[in-house]
Amino acid sequence: MELVYRFDESASESDLITTTYHEVLKEYWNDKGFEITRESEYGDGSDRTMVSKRPDKFTYVYKTRRLATLTITSGCVKRVDDWKSECIPPLGGVKPEDDYASKHCIAPEDGTVEL
């Protein structure tokens, strides 16, 4: 299973994303016992890639190249027949035209999530 969060273009170019978030994530991942398996810088140092693995084999990849992304993968997930994925409640801050989830996930049957 994979979950990807993409920052928009203006945020991706900010020092907050290219430097501060990288440093905060690195410290957090180290504090939590995640193994940082890769850390690379390109160009002027604002294009970075950092990969970490949790003891339970979840992998986190933070990239600040072009559009910054945080990707989380879990590895193989056993298939469940007739499973319907439900939307989690939105956190806000995403423009409707950029809201991929509202167009591609299934709302719970009780209708508690508004998209």
Side-chain angles (χ1 to χ4, degrees):
M1 184 179 278
E2 180 177 86
L3 174 66
V4 179
Y5 180 85
R6 288 182 185 91
F7 294 86
D8 68 22
E9 189 173 342
S10 62
S12 293
E13 295 172 352
S14 72
D15 286 340
L16 178 66
I17 302 298
T18 61
T19 304
T20 306
Y21 279 15
H22 178 92
E23 293 168 359
V24 168
L25 279 173
K26 182 176 182 177
E27 181 178 338
Y28 179 80
W29 291 345
N30 279 321
D31 289 349
K32 293 295 182 182
F34 298 8
E35 177 188 4
I36 296 178
T37 58
R38 179 177 167 203
E39 194 168 8
S40 307
E41 285 188 11
Y42 307 94
D44 64 0
S46 63
D47 292 340
R48 298 177 176 188
T49 298
M50 183 168 53
V51 179
S52 71
K53 291 187 184 242
R54 293 187 342 189
D56 61 4
K57 305 301 181 204
F58 275 73
T59 300
Y60 291 73
V61 181
Y62 185 66
K63 292 183 179 185
T64 59
R65 186 176 271 196
R66 293 182 209 106
L67 292 182
T69 60
L70 173 62
T71 304
I72 304 166
T73 58
S74 66
C76 295
V77 176
K78 187 175 180 178
R79 179 186 167 143
V80 177
D81 291 329
D82 299 325
W83 181 72
K84 295 180 180 178
S85 62
E86 295 182 353
C87 295
I88 58 173
L91 297 175
V94 177
K95 298 175 191 172
E97 62 269 19
D98 295 331
D99 189 358
Y100 180 86
S102 69
K103 299 173 191 75
H104 296 90
C105 68
I106 302 165
E109 291 181 23
D110 65 6
T112 57
V113 176
E114 292 182 24
L115 297 175

